[in-house]
Amino acid sequence: MKTSQIPFRTLREAPAEAIISSHQLMMRADLIRKLGNGLYTYMPLGLRAYRKLENIIRQELDASGAMEFKPTVVVPGDIWKESGRWDTMGAQMLKAQNRQQQDMVVSPTAEEAYTAIMKQGLTSYKQLPINCYQINTKYRDEIRPRYGVMRGREFNMMDGYSLNANDESLDETYQAYAKAYLRIFKRLGLKVIPVKADTGAMGGSGSEEFMVESPVGDDTLILCECGYAANVEKASCAKDIPLDKNGNPLAATDKPFEEIKTPGVGTIADLEKFLDCSQHSLLKTLIYKATNVSLDLSGIECCKNIKTFTEGNMTFYPEVFVAVCIRGDLDVNEAKLAGLLKASEVTLATAEEDMRITGAPVGYAGPVGLNNVPVIADNSVLNMHDFLVGANKADTHLVHVEYGRDFKVWQTADVRTAKAGDKCPVCGKPFYTSRGNELGHIFKLGKKYTQSMGVTYLDVNGKSSVPTMGCYGIGVDRVLASIIESFHDEHGIIWPMSVAPYQVAIVPIKYKDSMKEAADRLYDELSKLGIEVLLDDRDERPGVKFNDMDLMGYPVRVTIGDKNLPNVEVKLRNQSDAQLVPLEEAAAKIAQTVKAALDELNA
Ligand code: ATP
Ligand code: MG
């Protein structure tokens, strides 16, 4: 291909809204252009890299035993109503009506579509597992699309799904995807960390995210030198013993609890000072509002009168308030709380809601006598003794409180946010943290969709059974951006050989006379050897052409100048030195270089 045939222009400056390197470089190199907020077009050069990436994903998944299929992007709203996600998916789902006023959905993900499709024709255990993936357009109405294609509104996902007869079979498929993912990222030269992830409201039995460490990552990773790795939504930590201000374990008290006046000291930090105590002897009680709760609360007295709604064969509580108690120095992890309640979202109650539920202003809530909402205690509360809690009364706290004696809770659970310095649950060493971007995800979903959408098959004994399910996703655009984020310098992109839009760029100083002859010859020879070559035939100053080729990041640049002929100058984008090579040997040598780079990535 010749540059004159490609519609592109490079930019010296990226648009001001592009603040991370990959977004800046993709815009400057004209790989993408913006059409609207969160809507990016792949220009021809960007699309070449995108397609290569897509093919690597395809090859590795095919090799792992999955098969590609291609559902539509626009799907009937009815299947979302059947699964129970029509109302609970939230505002990120783009809905529309067709001319018959039928509800339609622009797929944000495809569990429903897969389940509805694979249900057709499934009769026997002999057909399981069914493991298919697509690489297809998704739309999520992200509140804050940002970083270019890292978080777009329209984006492309590889999403695979499996129907399995039992947990062992599901685990096999799950492991096969994990292995294929590692192969894919290896071929891209990316270092990824599989981390334990939250299974959330979907309530599956296992989930891992594949993260690339990045200072501009959206996720917080909790890591330990022993190899434990989890995202902050999931990370749990080893039990620790709460200590008083002298560093001694808190001791149980026989004293009955009593009120003390704490005017205007509603925060933990203020209380710590006011009472001259350790934060470990203070209990925080927070009121949360959970939306679309699918956990069965019918056994809880104070929840008996909460209205529910039914979607498919799922029952939801549209809104439930809960109180969460946790040790004073710790924070509640909203993802864990939402997972516990099987809620689509949890948010802190407003000051008015707090007042209505506890009868006190924010900061004075406490579990003693609080019986109009379910109370959840974080595990950290179990070891606390002789502690202080809010009295559900303005300017008042209770001291000498004991868990179990003075209040009981509906549930104890891990709802704490792990942080650097907390102890690893595996080896006990302190955690450290890092930022990361989620590139892919594997998830054991269980029977949520197969059950709600009525999928059955006859098992070995001829008994009707419901298959279990897994889902597996890779954000193709986000991976492409992450490659650039990982491989660039001040001059531009440094493509790994496996995804470079072209492997070699030939830059004649001037595209005429002997330089044109040499450039054309090398172009033909390399093409015949199966190398992807771009010939810069533009009538531009050499400096302009060099800068553009560096910005666009082609792994090999060959400069052809009349001063050097019959030698040509070969320079690798990831090295600073160039090499003079006789023109007649150049094609074979360059082809060798390209092949060696690919072999190393594919090894
Ligand atoms: P995130 O937490 O980043 O929003 P997610 O948990 O919503 O991701 P999944 O539903 O697991 O993502 O989707 C699978 C993959 O799709 C993600 O691992 C990510 O790489 C990609 N992805 C998700 N949302 C976007 C987006 N808005 N733009 C680009 N890629 C995305
Ligand atoms: Mg998301």
Side-chain angles (χ1 to χ4, degrees):
M1 186 58 60
K2 291 180 175 165
T3 44
S4 61
Q5 293 169 271
I6 302 174
F8 82 100
R9 47 101 175 108
T10 52
L11 300 174
R12 205 184 283 268
E13 298 285 341
E17 63 169 22
I19 51 173
I20 65 167
S21 307
S22 57
H23 188 191
Q24 291 170 342
L25 291 170
M26 288 180 91
M27 297 294 290
R28 285 185 55 210
D30 213 12
L31 303 184
I32 54 170
R33 287 186 194 174
K34 184 173 170 177
L35 199 56
N37 206 2
L39 301 175
Y40 289 90
T41 301
Y42 280 95
M43 295 301 287
L45 289 169
L47 187 64
R48 281 185 67 93
Y50 173 87
R51 290 280 183 237
K52 287 189 165 184
L53 168 55
E54 200 183 50
N55 274 329
I56 290 173
I57 296 173
R58 188 172 276 125
Q59 285 165 7
E60 293 301 332
L61 291 182
D62 289 350
S64 80
M67 290 281 283
E68 188 170 3
F69 78 135
K70 192 178 171 302
T72 56
V73 174
V74 175
V75 300
D78 283 349
I79 57 177
W80 289 81
K81 293 175 188 168
E82 230 184 300
S83 75
R85 286 209 291 184
W86 174 256
D87 287 315
T88 56
M89 192 68 183
Q92 63 167 328
M93 187 155 85
L94 185 66
K95 298 168 178 171
Q97 283 197 338
N98 65 9
R99 65 175 87 196
Q100 282 101 22
Q101 276 78 54
Q102 287 161 331
D103 289 322
M104 305 304 264
V105 168
V106 184
S107 296
T109 175
E111 285 79 6
E112 281 78 0
Y114 180 84
T115 310
I117 292 161
M118 295 310 172
K119 178 179 160 179
Q120 302 173 23
L122 175 64
T123 53
S124 157
Y125 71 95
K126 291 179 198 153
Q127 295 162 284
L128 297 177
I130 300 174
N131 172 10
C132 289
Y133 71 91
Q134 61 173 324
I135 302 179
N136 213 345
T137 305
K138 298 287 176 296
Y139 186 91
R140 293 182 185 178
D141 218 32
E142 300 273 358
I143 303 176
R144 250 171 268 103
R146 58 177 192 157
Y147 296 164
V149 298
M150 274 286 187
R151 183 175 297 284
R153 284 197 169 134
E154 183 179 302
F155 62 101
N156 299 279
M157 205 201 284
M158 179 298 289
D159 45 328
Y161 305 87
S162 67
L163 290 182
N164 303 79
N166 51 45
D167 290 346
E168 295 77 67
S169 161
L170 175 60
D171 193 57
E172 254 171 52
T173 310
Y174 181 89
Q175 300 300 347
Y177 270 94
K179 216 168 124 201
Y181 279 22
L182 292 177
R183 283 283 309 153
I184 290 164
F185 294 123
K186 161 83 178 57
R187 288 180 65 180
L188 303 172
L190 282 176
K191 264 222 227 68
V192 297
I193 318 176
V195 307
K196 292 183 181 57
D198 170 44
T199 46
M202 302 225 273
S205 58
S207 165
E208 274 163 277
E209 289 168 352
F210 290 72
M211 295 279 188
V212 59
E213 276 191 77
S214 161
V216 297
D218 271 345
D219 295 273
T220 302
L221 312 184
I222 303 281
L223 306 167
C224 176
E225 57 185 61
C226 78
Y228 179 89
N231 74 17
V232 72
E233 276 139 36
K234 169 77 179 177
S236 53
C237 40
K239 249 199 236 153
D240 50 359
I241 306 292
L243 305 174
D244 66 16
K245 67 170 182 171
N246 301 316
N248 300 316
L250 299 182
T253 180
D254 294 335
K255 293 182 194 158
F257 69 80
E258 59 180 294
E259 281 188 7
I260 58 162
K261 284 292 164 197
T262 48
V265 272
T267 71
I268 290 292
D270 290 347
L271 278 168
E272 184 188 14
K273 256 198 243 138
F274 183 78
L275 299 168
D276 186 25
C277 67
S278 136
Q279 287 200 9
H280 290 188
S281 53
L282 305 175
L283 185 92
K284 264 199 287 217
T285 303
L286 301 161
I287 308 297
Y288 277 96
K289 177 160 73 183
T291 33
N292 300 322
V293 172
S294 61
L295 189 69
D296 181 8
L297 305 175
S298 57
I300 306 173
E301 192 54 40
C302 60
C303 295
K304 288 243 158 78
N305 295 323
I306 305 179
K307 268 201 283 264
T308 58
F309 70 94
T310 303
E311 198 168 274
N313 51 19
M314 303 268 297
T315 299
F316 296 94
Y317 298 82
E319 190 176 282
V320 176
F321 288 91
V322 296
V324 182
C325 300
I326 192 165
R327 209 173 70 201
D329 62 317
L330 304 177
D331 291 315
V332 173
N333 185 318
E334 295 183 357
K336 287 184 184 173
L337 182 60
L340 180 76
L341 295 168
K342 297 194 197 304
S344 59
E345 203 187 4
V346 299
T347 48
L348 272 176
T350 62
E352 294 83 69
E353 289 162 346
D354 246 42
M355 176 61 89
R356 178 162 57 77
I357 288 162
T358 68
V362 174
Y364 293 93
V368 179
L370 186 65
N371 43 29
N372 53 356
V373 288
V375 180
I376 296 164
D378 176 63
N379 290 336
S380 59
V381 178
L382 300 177
N383 299 318
M384 290 174 69
H385 289 294
D386 194 4
F387 51 91
L388 172 137
V389 304
N392 299 321
K393 203 175 189 185
D395 298 338
T396 314
H397 280 84
L398 306 176
V399 286
H400 306 312
V401 174
E402 285 287 323
Y403 166 72
R405 183 190 72 176
D406 302 324
F407 68 96
K408 297 209 167 39
V409 300
W410 164 55
Q411 267 206 45
T412 58
D414 172 17
V415 288
R416 149 185 188 172
T417 300
K419 52 182 191 296
D422 282 349
K423 294 196 178 67
C424 171
V426 178
C427 73
K429 291 210 188 81
F431 283 142
Y432 62 97
T433 59
S434 180
R435 305 294 301 168
N437 261 324
E438 178 194 330
L439 302 187
H441 196 177
I442 53 178
F443 198 128
K444 290 181 186 172
L445 286 169
K447 298 187 178 175
K448 175 173 163 43
Y449 298 95
T450 46
Q451 212 140 43
S452 59
M453 297 180 70
V455 186
T456 56
Y457 68 98
L458 294 179
D459 69 11
V460 202
N461 305 314
K463 223 181 85 214
S464 175
S465 294
V466 176
T468 185
M469 187 167 167
C471 72
Y472 319 93
I474 292 181
V476 188
D477 320 77
R478 191 179 290 180
V479 173
L480 195 67
S482 293
I483 293 171
I484 298 174
E485 208 56 53
S486 299
F487 305 111
H488 70 270
D489 62 12
E490 69 273 26
H491 305 295
I493 302 166
I494 307 176
W495 285 114
M497 195 60 82
S498 50
V499 270
Y502 289 94
Q503 296 159 335
V504 177
I506 300 175
V507 185
I509 298 290
K510 276 209 167 334
Y511 191 52
K512 61 177 197 186
D513 308 330
S514 59
M515 288 178 281
K516 178 174 189 302
E517 248 166 62
D520 287 345
R521 173 178 163 187
L522 186 58
Y523 181 90
D524 286 340
E525 289 177 357
L526 282 170
S527 303
K528 283 202 187 97
L529 290 169
I531 304 297
E532 300 162 5
V533 208
L534 182 66
L535 199 168
D536 198 347
D537 62 339
R538 292 176 299 168
D539 185 18
E540 291 282 359
R541 283 181 296 114
V544 170
K545 296 199 265 192
F546 293 152
N547 286 344
D548 279 353
M549 296 303 117
D550 279 356
L551 173 62
M552 293 193 279
Y554 305 111
V556 185
R557 186 180 83 201
V558 190
T559 307
I560 300 183
D562 43 11
K563 268 192 249 140
N564 283 330
L565 278 173
N567 291 319
V568 297
E569 187 192 275
V570 178
K571 183 181 171 302
L572 302 187
R573 180 66 180 83
N574 61 6
Q575 287 175 16
S576 47
D577 295 333
Q579 223 191 338
L580 280 182
V581 177
L583 177 62
E584 55 238 45
E585 291 167 26
K589 249 198 147 123
I590 292 165
Q592 186 50 42
T593 304
V594 170
K595 191 174 169 303
L598 285 175
D599 286 349
E600 194 184 327
L601 290 167
N602 293 340

